[in-house]
Amino acid sequence: MDIQGKTIVITGAARGLGAAMAKRLAPHKPVLALVDLKVDDLAAVATACEQLGATVQRFGANVAKEADVIGLFDQIVAKCGAVHALVNNAGITRDALLIKYKDGKVESKMSLDQWQAVLDVNLTGVFLCGREAAERMIVGGVRGVIINISSISRAGNAGQTNYSAAKAGVAAMAVTWAKELARYGIRAAAIAPGFINTEMVAGMKPEAREKLTSGIPLQRMGEPDEIAQTVEFILENDYVSGRVFEIDGALRL
Ligand code: NAP
């Protein structure tokens, strides 16, 4: 796909990896439909992308709510004319051990709220956005692309029962969609990042940061732009579909 002039939807675009993806794609002069919970949070990234050459539309929506997502994609088509690509990036964590047992007693359990909050955003949100984007691509005759942001945790990470389950799910969904939607010329893929140097990580103490990076064979965290580069590659390469790209400096959990 030639990115120029194409409408590319990025969820969770206000910061972190989503913002990096928007800035990486902006010089190709796409129409960026940037989505986040609060539309005002998208102001800074929208300005930066416009300065880099993109046309930008901002949208506030909760990807976990079906009515929000249907309304979102209707608005995107109304304002941008079509949906050519979707990056399902919005995600949250609510980490906890399944069971915390110490000195002969259960101290805590992962709550149903913790489980449900992560599944709602990270799994159901991806399903809803993927479904609505695919419908509009098919109806509009667009040979589009859907990219789901998974995680290295999809292999199973202690303290992340909820997150690991959701991230395994979105990787499997990308493969499923690649098979189901190929007949319409739609491609789908997933990216499973390792530890990436986002704002959250930047605030860590040097000792904690050191401990984290020492276990990574490449001895450093990934940069947000290295994930964005993978998004750009998947969009541009028309023979890429149905695969999960592990961008993790060779780390294995
Ligand atoms: P981030 O900095 O927390 O940014 C996520 C964005 O998504 C925030 O702007 C957030 O808004 C928004 N968001 C949260 N819930 C939403 C909802 N229900 N509807 C719409 N937007 C919502 O996260 P990140 O580190 O950039 O991560 C981006 C994606 O990469 C996530 O799917 C994450 O699981 C995945 N990932 C990240 C890493 C990493 O090391 N950073 C590694 C592997 C995978 P608020 O600020 O208002 O909450």
Side-chain angles (χ1 to χ4, degrees), residues 15-204:
R15 59 195 174 96
L17 302 187
M21 292 167 195
K23 288 182 207 161
R24 176 88 197 182
L25 299 177
H28 291 281
K29 302 187 183 351
V31 179
L32 292 176
L34 304 182
V35 183
D36 215 285
L37 275 173
K38 296 190 212 100
V39 73
D40 290 348
D41 290 352
L42 290 160
V45 66
T47 304
C49 290
E50 280 164 354
Q51 283 166 357
L52 289 165
T55 301
V56 181
Q57 297 284 350
R58 296 185 283 143
F59 302 91
N62 182 346
V63 298
K65 295 205 167 142
E66 186 175 33
D68 269 30
V69 175
I70 292 172
L72 167 70
F73 280 91
D74 284 344
Q75 279 184 58
I76 292 172
V77 170
K79 286 193 175 164
C80 308
V83 176
H84 297 99
L86 162 69
V87 186
N88 266 316
N89 168 75
I92 61 169
T93 52
R94 295 285 184 274
D95 294 355
L97 290 173
L98 183 67
I99 306 288
K100 195 170 175 191
Y101 185 76
K102 207 174 163 193
D103 299 330
K105 61 175 199 287
V106 174
E107 287 189 350
S108 61
K109 305 186 206 184
M110 177 175 281
S111 69
L112 182 57
D113 282 352
Q114 287 169 320
W115 166 264
Q116 201 61 56
V118 170
L119 270 286
D120 284 351
V121 177
N122 296 14
L123 189 65
T124 305
V126 170
F127 159 70
L128 290 171
C129 290
R131 187 190 69 183
E132 295 306 306
E135 181 184 6
R136 281 152 189 82
M137 287 172 187
I138 293 167
V139 172
V142 170
R143 300 171 74 81
V145 185
I146 301 174
I147 302 173
N148 293 346
I149 304 302
S150 176
S151 165
I152 192 168
S153 296
R154 79 189 174 111
N157 194 24
Q160 294 195 309
T161 294
N162 46 6
Y163 187 81
S164 297
K167 292 300 186 181
V170 303
M173 273 199 270
V175 177
T176 304
W177 295 343
K179 292 175 179 172
E180 280 190 24
L181 301 175
R183 74 191 65 177
Y184 308 108
I186 297 170
R187 298 185 288 114
I191 301 172
F195 293 118
I196 309 299
N197 193 11
T198 52
E199 291 93 329
M200 187 188 78
V201 174
M204 281 171 85

Side-chain angles (χ1 to χ4, degrees), residues 201-220:
V201 174
M204 281 171 85
K205 288 184 186 154
E207 312 86 78
R209 213 182 145 87
E210 171 64 30
K211 200 175 163 204
L212 199 68
T213 50
S214 64
I216 303 170
L218 281 183
Q219 294 288 299
R220 67 169 179 89

Side-chain angles (χ1 to χ4, degrees), residues 230-249:
T230 313
V231 169
E232 183 183 46
F233 166 75
I234 294 170
L235 291 176
E236 288 190 326
N237 189 325
D238 289 329
Y239 202 54
V240 167
S241 199
R243 291 290 175 265
V244 183
F245 292 81
E246 298 177 320
I247 311 296
D248 51 25

